[in-house]
Amino acid sequence: MGNITFIEHDGTEHIVDIAEGKTLMQIAMDNLVPGIDADCGGSCACGTCHVIVDSAWVSATGIASDEELMMLDMTPEKTDTSRLSCQIKASQSLDGVVVRLPEFQM
Ligand code: FES
């Protein structure tokens, strides 16, 4: 079983097991990782599950859809590697992935 590291804005790390087939948002919520609100429940409609993917993991996590990019454009803390965690599906290929949480969700 692999793991995912979520790093809060203050540097606190949460290393959690990958749950194959779930999204990073669902995994964060299941493991009580603070800093992800996920107000829309994973429908790519709220932008409150913003994460910043570590640059080494950008290609493994895939490319944001146009809909996702539109949501991210409304996020003040958007970076070049920003994603919505509800749009990233976990699999063993993401073993070791590191994502950072913004200071605030919108
Ligand atoms: S949970 Fe709403 S956009 Fe991801």
Side-chain angles (χ1 to χ4, degrees):
M1 186 182 300
N3 62 61
I4 300 168
T5 300
F6 293 91
I7 305 176
E8 290 183 64
H9 190 260
D10 69 2
T12 306
E13 290 190 7
H14 302 265
I15 301 173
V16 302
D17 291 338
I18 286 178
E20 189 97 24
K22 287 194 172 186
T23 65
L24 266 57
M25 178 278 278
Q26 289 171 314
I27 293 169
M29 302 296 271
D30 289 351
N31 287 279
L32 306 177
V33 175
I36 291 184
D37 297 338
D39 292 340
C40 76
S43 306
C44 196
C46 71
T48 63
C49 64
H50 175 209
V51 295
I52 298 151
V53 176
D54 185 274
S55 55
W57 288 93
V58 169
S59 60
T61 49
I63 295 171
S65 66
D66 290 346
E67 185 184 14
E68 183 180 346
L69 288 172
M70 269 175 35
M71 293 306 304
L72 284 167
D73 280 343
M74 293 190 277
T75 304
E77 295 178 76
K78 181 187 173 201
T79 74
D80 289 346
T81 65
S82 286
R83 292 291 311 274
L84 295 178
S85 57
C86 71
Q87 301 301 305
I88 303 174
K89 233 196 211 136
S91 68
Q92 290 306 317
S93 65
L94 292 186
D95 180 17
V97 69
V98 176
V99 298
R100 291 177 174 75
L101 299 165
E103 185 170 10
F104 303 106
Q105 297 290 349
M106 346 185 248

